[in-house]
Amino acid sequence: MKIGFLMFDDLEELDMVGPWEVFTMAAQLRPEAGIDCVTIAADGGTVRCAKGMRIVADHGFADAPALDVLVVPGGRGTRREVENPILLGWIAEVAPGCTWVTSVCTGSMLLAAAGPAKDRRIATHWAAVDLVRGRGDAAEVLEEVRYVRDGNVITSAGVSAGIDMALWLVGEIWEPAFARKVQRAMQYDPAPPYAGEV
């Protein structure tokens, strides 16, 4: 199973590395599943994320492998990339060959603009709901949800919500018991709201 993570400058770090941790942990726990995670940027090379982290892409658009799952992060860079015909065209080209097309945060805006999430129910970061709604590409932009599935498109709210979305997808592809093993291995056991004073 080939899982591709789209990258662009100013993507939000945890939008990408949260799901990356889920899927790579699944690969460690179930090597026979053949899970292979790759990073893809338009021209390959290094991407500078929103908070300064730099990540080197495994592939450019020209040499990216066929994907089973596409993960599109959000972040400030989506405001620029939603007007980028090359990036949107690549999403539109590869998405039909994917079993699952996913996003975190404002990555859903890219999926809606490119076509895979057009006229579907999507989620995004709470602070970007009006921005995404204002574009008019989605049937509905949901609030107060961690993630939503509409067909084979799964979009999640912001930042940490991508972890929940990826864990759900692991459970859907394999089984919920395996997703729980992945969650335990990551020691991901959130207890919102902030409980530091308890």
Side-chain angles (χ1 to χ4, degrees):
M1 172 169 289
K2 190 77 72 174
I3 303 175
F5 292 77
L6 177 62
M7 301 200 309
F8 45 84
D9 285 336
D10 299 315
L11 70 86
E12 183 65 32
E13 285 87 341
L14 193 58
D15 284 6
M16 194 192 90
V17 299
W20 175 274
E21 180 67 24
V22 172
F23 291 121
T24 55
M25 184 66 74
Q28 287 181 6
L29 294 176
R30 190 168 282 188
E32 69 277 11
I35 303 165
D36 182 26
C37 295
V38 296
T39 53
I40 303 163
D43 299 315
T46 301
V47 168
R48 187 182 188 281
C49 301
K51 307 237 175 33
M53 177 184 282
R54 288 175 170 80
I55 306 173
V56 179
D58 297 312
H59 300 280
F61 289 170
D63 71 334
L67 302 175
D68 299 292
V69 179
L70 173 63
V71 181
V72 178
R76 292 192 315 260
T78 58
R79 280 70 164 174
R80 176 190 63 251
E81 298 301 333
V82 76
E83 306 298 337
N84 180 346
I86 295 172
L87 183 134
L88 296 180
W90 183 80
I91 292 173
E93 180 183 337
V94 303
C98 296
T99 305
W100 297 99
V101 178
T102 74
S103 69
V104 183
C105 190
T106 51
S108 64
M109 183 168 65
L110 300 182
L111 291 183
K118 186 170 179 58
D119 298 325
R120 297 198 193 218
R121 297 163 65 242
I122 62 173
T124 192
H125 191 287
W126 61 265
V129 167
D130 289 343
L131 169 69
V132 178
R133 278 184 183 154
R135 293 190 53 83
D137 294 323
E140 186 179 4
V141 182
L142 302 178
E143 297 183 65
E144 306 299 326
V145 297
R146 294 291 280 174
Y147 55 88
V148 61
R149 173 189 180 178
D150 190 333
N152 73 328
V153 176
I154 312 167
T155 57
S156 73
V159 200
S160 65
I163 298 172
D164 298 344
M165 177 270 295
L167 283 168
W168 179 86
L169 187 51
V170 167
E172 188 72 9
I173 294 171
W174 290 282
E175 68 273 343
F178 180 53
R180 291 186 193 103
K181 287 181 182 177
V182 173
Q183 179 179 6
R184 179 169 170 76
M186 292 171 56
Q187 201 158 9
Y188 177 62
D189 189 19
Y194 176 68
E197 296 174 354
V198 175

